[in-house]
Amino acid sequence: MKLTLSKTLTLLLLLAVQLTLAQEKTISGTVSDVTGLPIPGVNILIKGTTTGTQSDFDGNYTLNTNIGDVLVFSYLGLKTQEITVGEVNVIDVTMLEDTESLDEVVVTAVGIKRKPDEITTAYENLKSEEIVAANNPDAVQSLAGKVSGLQINTTNTGVNPSTTIRLRGTRSLSGSNSALVVIDNVISSATILSDLDPEIIESINIIKGPNGAALYGSRGGNGVIIVTTKKGARNTGKLNISVSTTVTLEDIAFLPQLQDRYGKGYWGEIDAFDQGSWGPEYDGSIQPVGLPYPTVSDFRYGVYEFRKDNMKDFFDTGIALQNTITLSGGDSEGFYSLTANRRTTDGIIPRDEYKKDFLALSAGKTFGKFSISGNVRFTTEDQSVSNGVYGQLAQLPSDVNILDFSSGSNSDHWTAFGDSPYWVRDNQRSLSENTRSDLSAELSYQFNDNISAVLRSNVVTNSGKGFTYVNDYVSEFTITGDGRDIQSSLSVNSNNSRLLYTDLIANFNYDLTEDIGLKSLIGFNATESKGFSQTTSGDILTLPGLYTVENISSGISVTDFSSIRRQQAIFANIDLSYKDYLYLNLTGRQEWDSRLQSPGRDIGDIGFFYYSAGASFIATKAFPEIKSDILHKLKVSGGYVKTANISALGSHDLFDTGFRPAAFPYPGGVNSFIIPSSTFDNAIEPEFISTYEANINLELLKRAGIPRITLDGSYSFYTNDNQILSASVSSSTSVFSAGVNVGETQTNAYELDLGLTPIKTDDLRWNLNFGYASQRTIATKITDDSDILGSGSPGIYAIQGQEYPLIRGSAYERDDEGRVVLNPDGSPRTASGLKVLGRTTPDYILNFGTDITYKGFRLSAVADFRTGHVFYSNIYNNLTGQGRSFITAENGRGYFIFPNSTVQGSGVTNTDVLTGPSYGGPSAYAQYQSFIQSGDFSGVDENFILDATAFKLREVALSYTLPRKYLEKTFIQGLAVGISGRNLLVVLPKENRRYNDPEIGSGIGGYGQTPPTKFYSMNVKLNF
């Protein structure tokens, strides 16, 4: 009996196994949208497991399942679908748009996620593919030209370019105008954003005005750049490996256009030792050039002819290599992502180098009601750059072959009035090393469906060291009595800083009624910033090439500075919704800042309250009858906010010691001190920013799930009051000026964005974007005793009642009709005092963007156009003084008619009389040279003010993604290749003649590290 039962059980077990095996089957199919277009990358999971797959480029998938399994199809922006496996082997799925899912990706202040309908301020959200399209290694630079109202200016060139970030222009007279950067919900900086490998960025949300940033208080007054990084591939249950390699070539974009008629010399005669181009006309003869090396008998000779762009031979083709590897993965309960990136750059200046290593780890896990996540980022930088090479190259006459003077010796040079750029390259350098760490963690707890709490904290540390040296040079000979010896010097610096940031937030989410919803939070924030820097410098290095402080033998000077500041705040946010078409947002923040603390001041006097109110109304949801085939969506929104800016105040400005160390000690080691000449009002307050904003958003002609036309408009009005400026005080106080709350500005800002999708088919999609932005800032008050703020000639100024910022400098005297007044001898008269020469803010900025996708191909381009402003060109001035600019070759360097002028007392204009130079020098040629080089021309700033209009083709990129079906039999999951170019085309006004890129120098354009450059990149991305 037992044997029979055993056999029976065995048979039943075998039958069960057979039935189970019989239920196993392979399911395949295609996932598409409502138009039939295949959707790649859809996650398909067997419910309750981590087993699954993804649809390929053509929307196809294959998965081993059992009858009765539930397949879950999910994709960002589309509704999740669940389908039970039955007898059929093919399951095709059509996925529908999920507005709610799309809405969740918009991250606003302090990590709040809002639907687009709920947002009451102007914003623009950039996705990953827009950021990485042109393979720009710097995420900040990659934003240029892509967002209306956002100005990304490259203010210096070289192996590690510097940039500025401005949203809606320049409004503060003394404080920072830079936008706040927030990365993964914690306060950060533009430097940290530049550190990030753009490949790890998921999206960047630009909140243009302070309306959306009031919760950040005094930090958010200039708008906010909110960066969200990728968190690994959720719901796939497998390891994903991504490898990317980019090679970028850098070349000169343009050099100044020079006159091609006259060459090296002075007063019409050839001078082998001069750097000027005041010689005779080119004739192709053989002439001496350069210093006698080593004796007069060894003069060098060259062909006396024009060489176009001859300084270009000095430069190399720069090359940058960037390699990135990312490991990521996750499931429904957690994620992880590890990225390592290395970037090495050899600049166009030989020996200029930059290297950056970046490591980032992000991970998160859910344990029931608890969720924990964190980010660890490390960056190391090494840089070696020369100082002043471009300035020396600009002294190169057009008939000189620069390669003839490439030995590197300063005695082997084309002129006695400058230093060889080859010698400068090797002997005047700055080297630096920097290490940054960015560590953050977030712990959240879901008490119930309505209440949750989150604690997030972040610490950013930075440490750096470097030195700048100049080697000595002893000239082997003296030319015309000019000493050319150079004394060696060394400056050694070190710095470190630490930023601690903590938020504790409680969130509440309730449906008050069937129609009214409430989302709110209350939070606490604490921030501490500490910094220290020290610089030791001196002259005469005892042992050449040893760059240590101990090697300094003369005049050692040591300066150091340390600071600490703290901010604490409590804040609250309330979001009320009525049905799904009316939203109200209210915020408040009480903030305390240690910079406002001073002896005898109560703690209550260093705290200030900031607040905002905003509303949005979706008319097409409130009144469905107005919705049609033409009008798909109409949203209007607006609000008011009051926030602040304390950046003009240093950490310890209100703790005045009454004396400060002087720059030198007395003999015997006794220090010296001086009484400061300025101080601050102990009752000083922050600069307050009040803003009104109104917005409209339209979606028109929705077809195939997307609007074919979108139109967004925004108007904002700012008042910046209480600005911290220096005002004169009575000398009986022992100081001459004090920082007080006096300055005021008003700003009007407009933005208009138009999006078009002319073509959308199964295989082809074409998007176009146009943006318009205009800002005007008026300085309504400077101080009680002055209506002008600024210094220098030329310089940036604010003048009461006029636009800010302005350029002021020396100018010609003019009559009532605007004509330049000339003396009887033909020389123009210089006006007394400084005059306004123009404004540095454009009338408007136009942005252009397009992308075309055809199957696996994607072609994109970004450009912008700025006009209506001016800048001062220092390069133009220097080239003119050398006789190399176009103006120096006019009229054969003889007498000429000064344009738009009148002779004093003659009653006639220059159309009737010859008014050119008629004073000084033995000939008209010499008189012309004397006039150009004198203060009558080169010394008048007005002559070198140029139109700053510029059209820039910022990016062009072409990429191709190989369809997954071609990789099915390989271990490769994805392959994409691309080529791109940056700064490929720059169109400038004729008067500029490519002297400067108007962005360089912020209105006062000087020599950057290098001339403007352009970039060509090649990229390969692999996924495993």
Side-chain angles (χ1 to χ4, degrees):
M1 183 69 181
K2 290 182 180 180
L3 182 60
T4 303
L5 179 59
S6 174
K7 291 180 178 179
T8 302
L9 292 175
T10 300
L11 289 173
L12 290 174
L13 178 61
L14 291 173
L15 179 61
V17 171
Q18 184 177 3
L19 290 172
T20 300
L21 292 174
Q23 288 180 321
E24 290 184 355
K25 60 191 310 178
T26 299
I27 297 295
S28 62
T30 302
V31 186
S32 59
D33 63 15
V34 291
T35 67
L37 186 68
I39 308 174
V42 175
N43 290 320
I44 303 111
L45 278 178
I46 299 175
K47 189 173 183 179
T49 74
T50 59
T51 302
T53 186
Q54 284 187 334
S55 59
D56 63 19
F57 183 81
D58 297 313
N60 300 320
Y61 74 94
T62 301
L63 183 64
N64 293 326
T65 67
N66 295 319
I67 293 177
D69 284 345
V70 177
L71 302 185
V72 181
F73 295 79
S74 61
Y75 189 81
L76 184 64
L78 301 176
K79 290 183 178 179
T80 299
Q81 294 192 45
E82 296 185 359
I83 298 177
T84 301
V85 176
E87 298 294 336
V88 297
N89 296 324
V90 177
I91 300 177
D92 293 328
V93 178
T94 299
M95 302 197 72
L96 305 177
E97 181 181 353
D98 184 358
T99 305
E100 297 293 322
S101 176
L102 283 172
D103 294 345
E104 293 177 358
V105 301
V106 182
V107 180
T108 61
V110 296
I112 300 172
K113 294 182 178 180
R114 287 192 174 102
K115 305 174 185 178
D117 288 350
E118 295 176 311
I119 299 176
T120 64
T121 189
Y123 77 98
E124 196 158 343
N125 203 38
L126 297 179
K127 298 300 183 183
S128 175
E129 59 267 21
E130 299 174 85
I131 300 166
V132 303
N135 300 307
N136 196 321
D138 189 321
V140 174
Q141 292 180 15
S142 70
L143 299 177
K146 296 177 181 176
V147 178
S148 63
L150 175 65
Q151 284 185 255
I152 305 294
N153 287 343
T154 300
T155 57
N156 197 8
T157 50
V159 291
N160 186 23
S162 55
T163 55
T164 60
I165 304 176
R166 297 282 189 274
L167 277 166
R168 293 179 172 170
T170 302
R171 300 181 299 275
S172 179
L173 301 176
S174 59
S176 171
N177 287 284
S178 296
L180 174 69
V181 175
V182 175
I183 301 176
D184 290 332
N185 304 326
V186 294
I187 296 293
S188 190
S189 67
T191 300
I192 299 295
L193 177 54
S194 293
D195 283 346
L196 295 185
D197 177 7
E199 292 286 347
I200 75 169
I201 297 176
E202 181 177 286
S203 66
I204 298 181
N205 185 25
I206 295 92
I207 301 179
K208 299 181 181 181
N211 302 64
L215 289 177
Y216 290 116
S218 59
R219 300 184 187 93
N222 296 315
V224 183
I225 311 294
I226 297 178
V227 181
T228 302
T229 62
K230 297 176 181 177
K231 300 299 187 296
R234 291 179 179 269
N235 300 322
T236 62
K238 62 179 182 179
L239 173 66
N240 296 279
I241 302 174
S242 175
V243 178
S244 175
T245 296
T246 302
V247 179
T248 300
L249 303 179
E250 181 182 11
D251 200 3
I252 300 292
F254 57 84
L255 291 168
Q257 293 179 345
L258 306 174
Q259 59 87 6
D260 58 3
R261 187 172 175 181
Y262 302 96
K264 185 177 173 66
Y266 195 74
W267 278 17
E269 301 293 335
I270 289 178
D271 185 338
F273 311 137
D274 197 75
Q275 88 278 26
S277 292
W278 294 105
E281 293 192 55
Y282 293 120
D283 59 8
S285 60
I286 304 299
Q287 298 293 341
V289 57
L291 298 175
Y293 181 81
T295 65
V296 175
S297 61
D298 293 320
F299 261 124
R300 298 196 178 185
Y301 291 84
V303 179
Y304 193 64
E305 64 182 3
F306 178 74
R307 298 171 180 267
K308 184 178 179 180
D309 293 341
N310 57 332
M311 79 164 70
K312 196 171 185 179
D313 291 333
F314 174 87
F315 297 102
D316 288 342
T317 296
I319 183 168
L321 300 176
Q322 180 162 262
N323 296 295
T324 301
I325 181 169
T326 298
L327 311 178
S328 63
D331 53 30
S332 59
E333 295 182 347
F335 67 89
Y336 61 89
S337 178
L338 174 64
T339 296
N341 168 270
R342 165 165 283 194
R343 171 187 166 195
T344 59
T345 302
D346 293 324
I348 63 171
I349 295 179
R351 294 192 60 196
D352 279 15
E353 300 173 344
Y354 176 76
K355 183 179 74 174
K356 181 172 75 173
D357 289 313
F358 173 75
L359 180 67
L361 171 65
S362 64
K365 184 70 175 177
T366 299
F367 304 92
K369 294 184 176 183
F370 280 100
S371 294
I372 186 171
S373 62
N375 294 286
V376 179
R377 303 186 186 102
F378 288 100
T379 303
T380 62
E381 293 178 304
D382 293 282
Q383 178 175 278
S384 174
V385 295
S386 54
N387 296 317
V389 165
Y390 187 24
Q392 295 297 333
L393 285 170
Q395 312 294 316
L396 178 67
S398 296
D399 56 285
V400 174
N401 182 356
I402 193 172
L403 296 178
D404 290 342
F405 301 92
S406 60
S407 68
S409 170
N410 212 17
S411 297
D412 182 22
H413 195 23
W414 63 77
T415 179
F417 303 102
D419 296 316
S420 164
Y422 293 96
W423 183 88
V424 171
R425 176 199 66 187
D426 299 335
N427 293 276
Q428 296 182 3
R429 302 193 66 82
S430 293
L431 292 85
S432 63
E433 298 177 6
N434 288 283
T435 301
R436 283 183 291 274
S437 66
D438 183 2
L439 314 176
S440 62
E442 181 174 301
L443 175 65
S444 62
Y445 183 76
Q446 189 75 40
F447 292 94
N448 52 44
D449 292 339
N450 307 109
I451 303 175
S452 64
V454 60
L455 171 66
R456 64 173 66 102
S457 191
N458 170 249
V459 55
V460 176
T461 62
N462 181 84
S463 63
K465 61 180 180 179
F467 60 92
T468 298
Y469 66 83
V470 176
N471 290 328
D472 61 2
Y473 166 71
V474 178
S475 178
E476 300 178 28
F477 39 78
T478 299
I479 305 295
T480 64
D482 295 297
R484 300 186 63 239
D485 293 353
I486 297 174
Q487 181 175 270
S488 60
S489 63
L490 176 68
S491 177
V492 179
N493 63 81
S494 62
N495 64 85
N496 60 74
S497 63
R498 187 190 68 187
L499 173 67
L500 295 174
Y501 178 91
T502 300
D503 277 334
L504 177 60
I505 300 173
N507 298 284
F508 306 91
N509 189 350
Y510 287 93
D511 291 327
L512 301 181
T513 70
E514 185 176 342
D515 295 329
I516 300 176
L518 168 67
K519 295 179 182 179
S520 63
L521 64 82
I522 57 173
F524 168 79
N525 169 259
T527 305
E528 179 185 85
S529 178
K530 297 179 68 174
F532 173 81
S533 63
Q534 184 179 77
T535 300
T536 303
S537 59
D539 300 324
I540 307 179
L541 300 178
T542 305
L543 299 177
L546 179 60
Y547 305 114
T548 63
V549 174
E550 293 85 351
N551 195 35
I552 297 174
S553 61
S554 175
I556 293 180
S557 173
V558 180
T559 59
D560 57 32
F561 176 78
S562 61
S563 67
I564 181 172
R565 65 175 181 262
R566 296 186 177 95
Q567 285 180 311
Q568 290 84 36
I570 55 174
F571 54 89
N573 178 84
I574 297 174
D575 286 305
L576 288 168
S577 61
Y578 178 71
K579 294 187 175 179
D580 59 350
Y581 61 79
L582 182 61
Y583 299 91
L584 174 67
N585 172 251
L586 302 171
T587 72
R589 178 181 172 107
Q590 177 69 31
E591 182 176 294
W592 296 267
D593 195 301
S594 66
R595 284 174 288 185
L596 300 172
Q597 191 173 353
S598 62
R601 195 174 190 184
D602 294 335
I603 189 70
D605 293 331
I606 69 170
F608 294 90
F609 184 65
Y610 316 125
Y611 53 90
S612 72
S616 68
F617 175 66
I618 297 83
T620 44
K621 289 185 177 180
F623 308 105
E625 61 272 16
I626 68 173
K627 192 172 181 179
S628 66
D629 291 340
I630 296 176
L631 177 63
H632 177 255
K633 181 179 180 180
L634 168 60
K635 172 189 171 183
V636 292
S637 61
Y640 169 80
V641 63
K642 180 181 180 180
T643 184
N645 187 347
I646 319 181
S647 58
L649 201 60
S651 298
H652 310 294
D653 281 345
L654 301 191
F655 282 84
D656 200 334
T657 60
F659 59 87
R660 293 176 183 172
F664 60 89
Y666 285 107
V670 178
N671 287 332
S672 60
F673 297 89
I674 58 174
I675 298 175
S677 60
S678 62
T679 187
F680 281 85
D681 179 5
N682 279 346
I684 205 162
E685 296 180 346
E687 169 187 343
F688 289 115
I689 306 170
S690 297
T691 309
Y692 298 88
E693 186 180 78
N695 311 290
I696 185 170
N697 308 94
L698 292 169
E699 294 182 1
L700 307 171
L701 302 177
K702 187 169 184 179
R703 300 287 187 274
I706 64 166
R708 295 303 181 94
I709 302 175
T710 60
L711 183 64
D712 302 315
S714 178
Y715 166 74
S716 54
F717 175 72
Y718 292 76
T719 58
N720 287 49
D721 300 328
N722 237 33
Q723 298 194 41
I724 302 172
L725 302 178
S726 180
S728 299
V729 298
S730 172
S731 59
S732 62
T733 62
S734 78
V735 296
F736 298 96
S737 63
V740 294
N741 295 117
V742 285
E744 297 176 4
T745 60
Q746 292 183 354
T747 301
N748 290 277
Y750 305 85
E751 291 106 33
L752 189 65
D753 292 281
L754 174 64
L756 303 174
T757 304
I759 301 174
K760 183 181 184 299
T761 67
D762 291 349
D763 295 327
L764 177 63
R765 178 166 176 166
W766 180 24
N767 295 323
L768 287 165
N769 297 287
F770 303 91
Y772 167 89
S774 176
Q775 305 94 29
R776 284 288 181 274
T777 296
I778 304 296
T780 53
K781 181 181 179 181
I782 306 299
T783 68
D784 294 331
D785 54 7
S786 176
D787 59 2
I788 296 179
L789 175 69
S791 62
S793 177
I796 301 298
Y797 285 80
I799 301 177
Q800 187 168 309
Q802 299 190 40
E803 286 191 32
Y804 170 76
L806 297 171
I807 299 178
R808 292 180 81 228
S810 56
Y812 293 121
E813 182 179 328
R814 297 178 181 272
D815 64 11
D816 294 338
E817 297 182 31
R819 298 173 299 188
V820 176
V821 177
L822 303 179
N823 294 312
D825 65 358
S827 61
R829 298 179 61 177
T830 303
S832 61
L834 303 182
K835 304 296 180 182
V836 174
L837 303 178
R839 52 186 171 82
T840 63
T841 303
D843 282 341
Y844 56 87
I845 300 175
L846 298 179
N847 297 332
F848 310 91
T850 184
D851 70 85
I852 301 172
T853 56
Y854 176 72
K855 295 186 177 180
F857 291 94
R858 183 176 188 269
L859 175 65
S860 63
V862 176
D864 64 21
F865 175 76
R866 310 179 186 192
T867 190
H869 55 316
V870 300
F871 73 102
Y872 173 84
S873 175
N874 187 48
I875 295 175
Y876 180 24
N877 188 333
N878 289 347
L879 292 174
T880 298
Q882 296 174 40
R884 298 174 63 207
S885 68
F886 262 75
I887 196 172
T888 63
E890 291 182 347
N891 303 298
R893 290 186 169 174
Y895 295 106
F896 67 95
I897 296 175
F898 200 91
N900 190 33
S901 63
T902 181
V903 177
Q904 183 184 22
S906 69
V908 296
T909 66
N910 62 357
T911 57
D912 300 310
V913 296
L914 193 67
T915 61
S918 57
Y919 55 96
S923 65
Y925 188 104
Q927 292 164 17
Y928 184 91
Q929 180 180 342
S930 178
F931 167 70
I932 293 295
Q933 291 186 317
S934 72
D936 294 325
F937 194 88
S938 291
V940 179
D941 300 328
E942 175 185 348
N943 291 317
F944 307 103
I945 296 294
L946 299 177
D947 185 353
T949 296
F951 171 83
K952 288 192 173 185
L953 184 58
R954 300 277 183 176
E955 295 181 359
V956 177
L958 174 65
S959 63
Y960 175 69
T961 302
L962 191 67
R964 287 277 299 274
K965 64 183 180 181
Y966 297 119
L967 303 172
E968 289 178 351
K969 296 182 180 181
T970 71
F971 61 92
I972 299 174
Q973 298 297 310
L975 169 63
V977 294
I979 57 174
S980 59
R982 307 196 308 272
N983 207 35
L984 297 182
L985 175 65
V986 179
V987 181
L988 303 171
K990 182 179 179 180
E991 69 179 55
N992 189 332
R993 296 191 184 275
R994 305 189 305 196
Y995 296 128
N996 286 83
D997 182 335
E999 284 185 27
I1000 305 296
S1002 301
I1004 307 295
Y1007 294 96
Q1009 183 71 17
T1010 69
T1013 57
K1014 53 188 174 183
F1015 304 86
Y1016 307 90
S1017 295
M1018 297 154 283
N1019 176 265
V1020 178
K1021 298 179 183 178
L1022 290 168
N1023 294 314
F1024 304 96

